[in-house]
Amino acid sequence: MNKTKKLHTLSRRSVVAGIGAASALTLTGGRARAQDLIPVKVTTALRLANYTPAYAALREGIFQKHGLDVEISSASSVAEPISILNAGRAEFAMTGTGMAVNSAIEGADTQVIAKMAGAIGLWFISKPGVTINSLDDLRGKTIASYRFPSNTVSSPTYAMQSAGGFDPSEAGVKFMEGPFGSIIPTVLNGRADVGCAFEWDASIAETVHGLQVSLPLAQVLGPIAFTSTMVSRAYAQSNPEVVQAFVSALAESMALLHAQPDIYRRVSAAEFDQVPSEAVAAGTDRLLGTEGVVPRNPLVTRQEWDAIMAHDLAAGTIRGEGAFEDMVDMSFAQAATDVLANSN
């Protein structure tokens, strides 16, 4: 049972009140005074384009508009943000959705409150002439990836098993696992036929190294709650206005990025300044053009939840299945989405 649901039966009114409170803090120029902002720490799994709605909310002053002074730092693994959250060193964690289930199994009361990526943003990269138009084209191929449990291994494996209808090992598929940064060189030097890559690797491979990018897994696997924002139930119950302000800012940022793609490009260029500008431009088009990878709102549906549970159970990255009713509280996201819809 969702213990926080009753706190937000008047959630839309709460959002409006929160926005009004943020407005009351403003000075000339429309920004809240720094001394009136509520400090909030966020930890993300690695530094990935999946978290661009949060980066944009920070760089475009959206968190500040909602009365929050947000600090975002990145962890070194998918599991680490949950440990940081449970230790009380951050108010919010952004990571693979299934990590909330592992946290709950370990005894923590972790809730999913917002979607950060609603599709799996992975693509296959290859030299010209190696065509990957379908999962069947992966048969007999060696795929460059990062080390398991990276999604560069688990997601294509799951796709071949569930959507392709074949066992990768029986079909002669081999994964060449390596450290971060190894996928593109492994394809270039011919040790792998193809690579499975996130952005910005996919666009760096294309624009810098002349490789081709094909077969988005988002297109194969469809809607899935790939990454999410999480909070402890205790914090949400004690600070519902902060959680609402945070999710409302994410919702506003998501809508803004789709309405003004140049902002996505500008924020990404600033956050990932080591990525060549041509790769940022190509990646922005690819990420925004692949439905679901950049959400249009922070709502997690039951279909998306069930999809990530099936994916992570098959991949072996979670130790049990979490119930949507127990693990997901969409009252904050629904309230934020409703306010935005009614303001248009």
Side-chain angles (χ1 to χ4, degrees):
M1 171 179 151
N2 191 331
K3 297 176 187 174
T4 66
K5 192 72 71 178
K6 62 185 179 182
L7 289 173
H8 302 286
T9 52
L10 41 115
S11 51
R12 183 175 158 223
R13 191 167 62 194
S14 300
V15 180
V16 176
I19 292 173
S23 298
L25 298 174
T26 60
L27 293 172
T28 303
R31 298 297 185 204
R33 296 194 306 265
Q35 64 266 34
D36 293 322
L37 300 177
I38 299 170
V40 167
K41 291 184 178 180
V42 182
T43 179
T44 70
L46 310 174
R47 281 181 53 75
L48 297 173
N50 286 348
Y51 310 117
T52 300
Y55 301 144
L58 182 61
R59 287 187 175 271
E60 295 297 306
I62 300 172
F63 282 133
Q64 189 177 19
K65 185 182 91 172
H66 286 268
L68 304 178
D69 178 15
V70 174
E71 175 187 335
I72 302 175
S73 61
S74 58
S76 59
S77 71
V78 174
E80 190 179 1
I82 288 292
S83 299
I84 293 171
L85 179 73
N86 292 340
R89 292 188 286 123
E91 284 71 38
F92 299 94
M94 295 178 175
T95 187
T97 304
M99 296 301 102
V101 176
N102 287 344
S103 178
I105 289 172
E106 292 169 2
D109 214 357
T110 308
Q111 288 185 303
V112 171
I113 55 168
K115 176 170 62 186
M116 295 305 296
I120 296 180
L122 282 167
W123 289 264
F124 291 97
I125 60 173
S126 58
K127 290 181 179 179
V130 180
T131 304
I132 306 297
N133 290 325
S134 71
L135 293 172
D136 274 335
D137 291 330
L138 295 173
R139 292 176 182 269
K141 298 290 194 301
T142 297
I143 302 173
S145 69
Y146 295 136
R147 295 190 178 104
F148 184 85
S150 168
N151 284 95
T152 58
V153 179
S154 61
S155 294
T157 298
Y158 176 70
M160 284 181 271
Q161 292 170 337
S162 62
F166 62 91
D167 180 89
S169 58
E170 292 178 0
V173 178
K174 298 178 182 178
F175 285 91
M176 183 165 286
E177 300 179 26
F180 289 115
S182 65
I183 293 175
I184 294 174
T186 303
V187 175
L188 286 172
N189 65 27
R191 290 187 298 135
D193 303 297
V194 301
C196 186
F198 286 105
E199 287 293 1
W200 305 96
D201 278 355
S203 290
I204 291 172
E206 178 184 50
T207 61
V208 177
H209 299 286
L211 299 179
Q212 57 189 20
V213 181
S214 58
L215 193 62
L217 280 185
Q219 175 182 303
V220 174
L221 294 175
I224 187 169
F226 188 45
T227 58
S228 297
T229 297
M230 302 159 200
V231 70
S232 73
R233 192 187 302 271
Y235 184 83
Q237 289 178 331
S238 301
N239 303 276
E241 72 291 343
V242 177
V243 177
Q244 186 64 75
F246 189 83
V247 177
S248 294
L250 289 179
E252 188 174 331
S253 178
M254 290 172 184
L256 179 66
L257 292 174
H258 281 282
Q260 299 184 46
D262 281 348
I263 292 178
Y264 193 105
R265 187 176 295 108
R266 183 176 72 237
V267 168
S268 296
E271 285 291 329
F272 302 95
D273 57 2
Q274 77 282 9
V275 178
S277 59
E278 61 269 27
V280 170
T284 294
D285 292 343
R286 185 172 287 115
L287 288 159
L288 289 173
T290 305
E291 188 60 37
V293 174
V294 182
R296 295 180 182 276
N297 62 62
L299 288 167
V300 175
T301 68
R302 182 182 294 274
Q303 176 192 4
E304 291 167 333
W305 177 262
D306 290 346
I308 195 62
M309 290 299 101
H311 175 286
D312 286 5
L313 282 168
T317 54
I318 58 175
R319 297 189 290 278
E321 186 170 0
F324 181 85
E325 294 80 4
D326 295 334
M327 300 292 306
V328 181
D329 180 5
M330 284 295 101
S331 60
F332 300 102
Q334 188 64 66
T337 302
D338 288 348
V339 167
L340 283 176
N342 291 330
S343 66
N344 292 333

